[in-house]
Amino acid sequence: MNTDALEDAAFSAERRVLEIQAKLHRWARKDPHRRFDDLFNLVADPAFLLTAWMRVRGNEGARTPGVDGHTVYYVEQVRGVEGFLGVLRSQIKDRTFRPLPVRERMIPKATGKLRRLGIASVADRTVQASLKLVLEPIFEADFHPCSYGFRPMRRAHDAIAEVHYLASRPRNYEWIVEGDITACFDEIDHTALMNRVRSRIGDNRVLALVKAFLKAGILSEDGRLRATDTGTPQGSILSPLLSNVALSVLDEYFTQIPGGPGSSQAERSKRRRHGKAGYRLVRYADDFLVLVSGTREHAEQIRGEVAEVPAPMGLRLSEDKTLITHIDNGLDFLGWHIQRRRKRGTNQHYVYTYPSRKAVKAAMGKVRKWCRELDTNQPLDALLQLNRLLRGWCAYFRPGVSHAAFQYLSHYTWQRVIGWLRRKHPKNQLEEPPAPLLRRTVVATRPRA
């Protein structure tokens, strides 16, 4: 199949997939207790598999091989996409498909620790993507508005905007419990997770496929095969959806408690008059905030209750990292620092969002590493690839009060760039950036606040 024919087929397939997803979502919303019995044929449907393949192909990890050593490029050039998907469809329908173990790769974190990623084979990624296309519209009907991570049409900025809205007047959710779940992706109990999946999915063939991915195992970097009795591999296409299914126990708990988002405005006002607290949850994957309209004692009480909520799913809160903070002291969430401060020149206090110090230091570290490791024999264009990093970072933090942080990072970047130019041209000591360099990089390093 040539590229043009593949693109045309993919466009038609995606339209069909969207139509079926809309139906599944509509049926799931109409009947919250409905269990879907005949989904296996959709997972093996040619339109779903082709759409899944196009999404796997477009991911950044398309060139990363699994344990079988095959990449997307290998499938396209050697096996052929049409033949690859045909074999995959036959294996799924015959129920002979068996997921391979994921390849373990340790990624350094900003804290100096390592994060474990699981890299699945291309075939496994394609089947997982097809499974997600089928399951996601069903579970999206059950997810609550307080969840923002790894969901369609939702992003981190929406979660930050919700925190800003709730902490501002007249809502005044001033006390905040910063929740941190210990090793969420590694400790989810498979039995409890499958029970939650089973509450909506009645097709045993789909359930067996999901369980097979959970039990596929991990091939560690030293070549040893480890069983996976708990958790979902971080980096897997299906893991974000399954983790949201598991963590939705938190969303459901806060929806039902008195003073939560399920309470009416009259009920919340009555609780305030009687000195009782109101609660709101903002969750992005396994990072969450519990905003409390009340006193510190109310925050401490809800912190103890929250610790018990995820326990049936095999999850636990980190005692050291689960903190209670007042909005006047500020907190860090999703790379942002959120704090209520007095507006300069007035007596009015407002909630502001800034790039956190940790985020600024991380960007500085990447700039420093790039300028240090780039050989001075390289042309200037190679150095200016740094613009892509800066442009993405600035685009993420543009909605906040980021002018000062942008100016600080801009100054630091210029110093590092000038240092690299001095090493490249030791006989020509530059005091100011040359005009061509200024014109080519000023847009990326000095965005408007």
Side-chain angles (χ1 to χ4, degrees):
M1 182 182 293
N2 59 49
T3 304
D4 293 337
L6 180 63
E7 295 292 341
D8 293 340
F11 178 76
S12 301
E14 187 160 4
R15 289 188 61 182
R16 181 170 185 272
V17 168
L18 288 174
E19 291 174 359
I20 296 176
Q21 285 183 318
K23 290 181 180 179
L24 292 173
H25 184 73
R26 184 168 62 251
W27 294 336
R29 286 184 63 88
K30 185 177 180 180
D31 185 1
H33 303 290
R34 176 173 179 171
R35 297 180 73 230
F36 291 80
D37 296 322
D38 190 14
L39 298 175
F40 189 73
N41 291 330
L42 290 179
V43 178
D45 187 276
F48 276 78
L49 285 176
L50 180 56
T51 303
W53 163 258
M54 296 303 293
R55 297 192 178 184
V56 170
R57 178 192 179 197
N59 287 341
E60 292 183 0
R63 291 179 293 181
T64 306
V67 295
D68 58 358
H70 295 173
T71 63
V72 169
Y73 178 81
Y74 172 84
V75 172
E76 291 180 330
Q77 300 299 322
V78 179
R79 297 187 59 182
V81 176
E82 188 174 4
F84 169 76
L85 294 180
V87 171
L88 205 56
R89 181 170 185 263
S90 298
Q91 291 178 344
I92 296 173
K93 290 182 70 66
D94 298 342
R95 304 188 69 178
T96 58
F97 175 81
R98 297 292 181 273
L100 296 175
V102 297
R103 183 167 65 89
E104 182 184 59
R105 186 174 181 183
M106 306 304 291
I107 304 296
K109 299 170 64 175
T111 58
K113 298 181 180 179
L114 296 176
R115 174 185 289 125
R116 179 183 293 109
L117 292 182
I119 303 173
S121 66
V122 175
D124 292 351
R125 277 179 261 173
T126 304
V127 178
Q128 285 187 35
S130 183
L131 260 176
K132 184 180 179 182
L133 289 173
V134 174
L135 299 179
E136 189 173 57
I138 297 173
F139 286 104
E140 273 293 319
D142 298 335
F143 291 155
H144 294 269
C146 60
S147 170
Y148 293 91
F150 305 120
R151 294 184 60 188
M153 306 301 291
R154 285 171 172 255
R155 55 179 185 163
H157 293 95
D158 299 326
I160 297 298
E162 180 71 3
V163 176
H164 184 279
Y165 173 79
L166 293 172
S168 301
R169 290 186 176 88
R171 290 149 298 271
N172 292 330
Y173 285 79
E174 298 179 340
W175 289 100
I176 301 173
V177 179
E178 303 177 53
D180 184 271
I181 297 179
T182 302
C184 172
F185 284 89
D186 297 332
E187 296 188 0
I188 295 177
D189 183 81
H190 287 174
T191 302
L193 174 60
M194 290 303 300
N195 286 338
R196 291 188 68 84
V197 175
R198 197 174 287 110
S199 66
R200 269 303 202 174
I201 308 302
D203 193 327
N204 290 328
R205 298 167 296 177
V206 173
L207 294 172
L209 199 55
V210 173
K211 188 173 182 179
F213 281 115
L214 292 175
K215 300 292 186 180
I218 299 175
L219 185 65
S220 62
E221 293 182 333
D222 57 7
R224 291 184 299 177
L225 181 63
R226 300 198 312 271
T228 48
D229 298 323
T230 60
T232 60
Q234 193 166 354
S236 163
I237 293 177
L238 200 57
S239 290
L241 175 62
L242 294 179
S243 66
N244 269 334
V245 171
L247 291 169
S248 60
V249 295
L250 282 170
D251 311 340
E252 295 168 1
Y253 175 79
F254 278 94
T255 302
Q256 299 168 0
I257 64 172
S263 304
S264 66
Q265 180 63 40
E267 292 173 341
R268 290 195 292 269
S269 299
K270 183 178 179 180
R271 289 180 61 85
R272 287 186 180 182
R273 290 195 301 269
H274 289 81
K276 298 181 180 180
Y279 307 100
R280 296 295 291 269
L281 175 71
V282 177
R283 183 175 66 81
Y284 191 92
D286 58 337
D287 294 329
F288 67 91
L289 302 178
V290 179
L291 293 94
V292 181
S293 175
T295 64
R296 182 181 179 88
E297 288 70 24
H298 292 134
E300 291 175 348
Q301 180 181 358
I302 197 65
R303 175 186 174 180
E305 296 176 8
V306 168
E308 301 176 359
V309 175
M313 301 302 302
L315 303 174
R316 52 194 172 87
L317 296 186
S318 171
E319 294 293 335
D320 299 332
K321 296 181 180 180
T322 303
L323 310 175
I324 297 177
T325 310
H326 195 275
I327 191 62
D328 289 343
N329 297 326
L331 69 147
D332 291 347
F333 186 56
L334 303 180
W336 295 86
H337 183 74
I338 309 171
Q339 186 175 9
R340 186 169 64 189
R341 303 180 65 175
R342 181 179 64 86
K343 184 178 181 180
R344 185 178 301 175
T346 69
N347 291 325
Q348 300 296 323
H349 288 74
Y350 298 93
V351 177
Y352 294 96
T353 54
Y354 312 88
S356 67
R357 291 186 178 182
K358 183 178 179 181
V360 174
K361 287 183 178 179
M364 291 168 58
K366 291 180 180 179
V367 171
R368 180 172 60 251
K369 182 180 179 181
W370 185 272
C371 294
R372 277 183 179 178
E373 295 182 355
L374 186 66
D375 196 287
T376 53
N377 292 327
Q378 296 290 326
L380 182 59
D381 288 343
L383 177 66
L384 296 184
Q385 295 298 315
L386 182 65
N387 285 352
R388 293 186 298 177
L389 163 67
L390 296 172
R391 191 178 295 114
W393 192 90
C394 292
Y396 180 80
F397 288 105
R398 188 184 296 272
V401 184
S402 308
H403 179 75
F406 286 172
Q407 291 296 319
Y408 184 83
L409 182 59
S410 174
H411 175 76
Y412 180 83
T413 302
W414 280 120
Q415 295 301 314
R416 289 293 173 179
V417 169
I418 291 172
W420 185 86
L421 290 172
R422 284 174 176 168
R423 294 196 303 274
K424 183 176 179 66
H425 306 286
K427 295 182 180 180
N428 183 13
Q429 295 298 322
L430 300 175
E431 295 296 334
E432 294 293 337
L437 179 63
L438 179 64
R439 288 197 299 269
R440 297 169 72 179
T441 59
V442 69
V443 174
T445 56
R446 295 185 180 182
R448 296 178 182 178

